[in-house]
Amino acid sequence: MSNNRQRILVPGKMNQRVLDRLPDHFDPVFIAATDPALVTAELSSSVAGIAVQGKIPAEFVDAFPKLEIIANFGVGYDGVDAVHAAERSVMVTNTPDVLTEEVADTAIGLLLNTVRCFPVAEQWLRQGRWVKEGAFVLTPLTLRGRTVGLYGLGRIGLAIAKRLEAFGVSIAYHTRTPREGLAYTHYTTLKSMAEAVDTIIVIVPGTESTRRTVNAEVLQALGPQGVLINVGRGTTVDEEALIDALQRGVIAAAGLDVFENEPHVPEALLSLPNVSLLPHVASASQATRDAMADLVVDNLVAWFETGAALTPVPETPFKRKTA
Ligand code: NAP
Ligand code: 8YV
């Protein structure tokens, strides 16, 4: 391995394919966590790039004066302070597009599991209850006749909407800016959409502008037949308000792939019968995670070899400064 390879730091856990590919191009170094106390003087002065899966605090970024790029594993980059990185002229990349269809598939699966209780029905069969007690109960909810409101209609939201069209349900959406050329009804506020639909699928990024926006008022507006699906970020939903709404029948059911404090899921949610829960697996097939891993490494390679990242986030639209 040549000595003039760029040094890439991997703090904490990282997808195995990223770890396997990094040494082909770089001099990778590893520390256990994004903790500035773990950064030696030698690391501080040599790291040019960081590959991260999870949260990376601004003070950790500031520990590296020669840092040029942070490559985030995931399309959602709420764990990286991209505005702070931009102020320091540090490029931030994410992994859009390569996971869009997989996440949209999961959203539909979670929606069906939630309204038709398929995971519970499977347990009924596996536990021998079909033989001993007879047919599983008829589900009180159905997807038939529903009106689905997408909270977010970006890459993944649109892929979910295309799938929903085939299911014959009505489709609406709420975003800050309406999308041109679509037949779906646009609502300018989340509350007005919640009043008009009976199903909401959350697929917005986890930002300050979306934080806890699915609150008690929105859930009340969704109503007693209401179903909430969250495949975006846990921070977008007020989890306490959701638990209360599910306990009191303010809404009918929820399907969640993401939570406020992962991997911890509140006991109150676990004990509710009207929820379907997944451990943040929307993109978690081998093929899709491999494609995400490749994009992480390919962004680093492109940055150092061509001076331009493949998928920069909007906050860092710049090119590499050459000496
Ligand atoms: P995207 O293409 O950037 O789309 C984001 C959408 O959210 C846009 O329609 C945007 O429209 C809307 N939006 C953003 N802020 C909003 C606000 N304050 N109010 C209303 N709408 C808002 O992103 P994407 O590729 O579809 O991914 C979306 C998110 O899904 C990611 O950021 C990530 O957090 C999450 N995700 C989760 C998983 C999982 O494993 N569960 C996997 C992949 C992605 P406007 O800008 O017009 O408002
Ligand atoms: C991954 C995700 O689970 O891309 C995202 O935003 O939430 C998921 O695809 C996550 O990035 C893995 O750390």
Side-chain angles (χ1 to χ4, degrees):
M1 189 186 301
S2 93
N3 281 335
N4 58 7
R5 287 181 168 218
Q6 299 288 354
R7 198 159 231 216
I8 305 297
L9 175 68
V10 183
K13 64 162 188 170
M14 176 49 74
N15 170 280
Q16 188 57 44
R17 188 175 172 93
V18 173
L19 299 178
D20 292 345
R21 280 197 58 201
L22 279 176
D24 295 341
H25 308 272
F26 302 106
D27 172 20
V29 280
F30 307 93
I31 56 174
T34 52
D35 179 356
L38 300 175
V39 180
T40 61
E42 199 267 325
L43 265 189
S44 172
S45 61
S46 61
V47 165
I50 295 177
V52 69
Q53 181 171 1
K55 286 197 189 325
I56 180 165
E59 63 268 26
F60 185 78
V61 172
D62 288 344
F64 303 96
K66 293 190 179 153
L67 184 65
E68 295 186 36
I69 178 168
I70 300 167
N72 180 65
F73 185 90
V75 66
Y77 53 99
D78 41 290
V80 182
D81 187 339
V83 172
H84 177 76
E87 280 161 10
R88 278 207 42 207
S89 302
V90 173
M91 164 60 58
V92 178
T93 64
N94 64 346
T95 62
D97 302 317
V98 293
L99 45 53
T100 293
E101 305 300 330
E102 194 82 74
V103 177
D105 290 348
T106 309
I108 298 296
L110 184 55
L111 172 62
L112 286 169
N113 281 350
T114 305
V115 292
R116 296 295 320 287
C117 307
F118 293 134
V120 188
E122 183 167 352
Q123 286 310 311
W124 184 264
L125 179 156
R126 286 180 183 277
Q127 289 162 1
R129 297 181 71 180
W130 189 14
V131 174
K132 288 188 201 128
E133 300 173 49
F136 184 63
V137 290
L138 305 182
T139 60
L141 301 177
T142 174
L143 189 60
R144 297 301 89 221
R146 283 194 171 262
T147 301
V148 181
L150 287 146
Y151 179 20
L153 197 73
R155 289 167 293 241
I156 301 171
L158 192 59
I160 296 171
K162 296 283 175 217
R163 282 158 176 74
L164 288 172
E165 280 186 30
F167 283 84
V169 296
S170 303
I171 301 169
Y173 71 106
H174 164 61
T175 53
R176 292 165 300 185
T177 313
R179 287 188 70 140
E180 303 273 313
L182 293 175
Y184 318 136
T185 310
H186 178 256
Y187 289 89
T188 53
T189 66
L190 179 58
K191 188 171 170 218
S192 61
M193 181 174 81
E195 280 162 353
V197 304
D198 54 26
T199 308
I200 290 179
I201 300 180
V202 179
I203 187 65
V204 283
T207 61
E208 267 318 296
S209 72
T210 60
R211 188 173 176 74
R212 294 197 175 169
T213 43
V214 180
N215 55 23
E217 196 185 13
V218 167
L219 294 167
Q220 185 77 43
L222 189 57
Q225 291 303 308
V227 171
L228 178 77
I229 304 297
N230 189 2
V231 282
R233 281 290 180 267
T235 51
T236 303
V237 175
D238 181 338
E239 224 163 59
E240 271 186 34
L242 175 62
I243 291 165
D244 178 64
L246 288 163
Q247 285 171 338
R248 293 193 300 112
V250 173
I251 67 166
L256 310 171
D257 181 51
V258 288
F259 303 88
E260 273 192 316
N261 184 28
E262 295 175 8
H264 305 286
V265 177
E267 195 53 46
L269 265 183
L270 295 173
S271 62
L272 277 165
N274 49 346
V275 292
S276 187
L277 305 170
L278 294 175
H280 200 148
V281 293
S283 67
S285 70
Q286 189 67 55
T288 293
R289 287 289 171 87
D290 283 356
M292 293 163 65
D294 283 343
L295 193 47
V296 168
V297 178
D298 293 347
N299 262 304
L300 291 165
V301 172
W303 178 256
F304 289 109
E305 285 187 359
T306 72
L310 301 177
T311 51
V313 303
E315 292 87 340
T316 58
F318 40 79
K319 299 242 185 308
R320 190 178 183 212
K321 287 192 190 112
T322 44

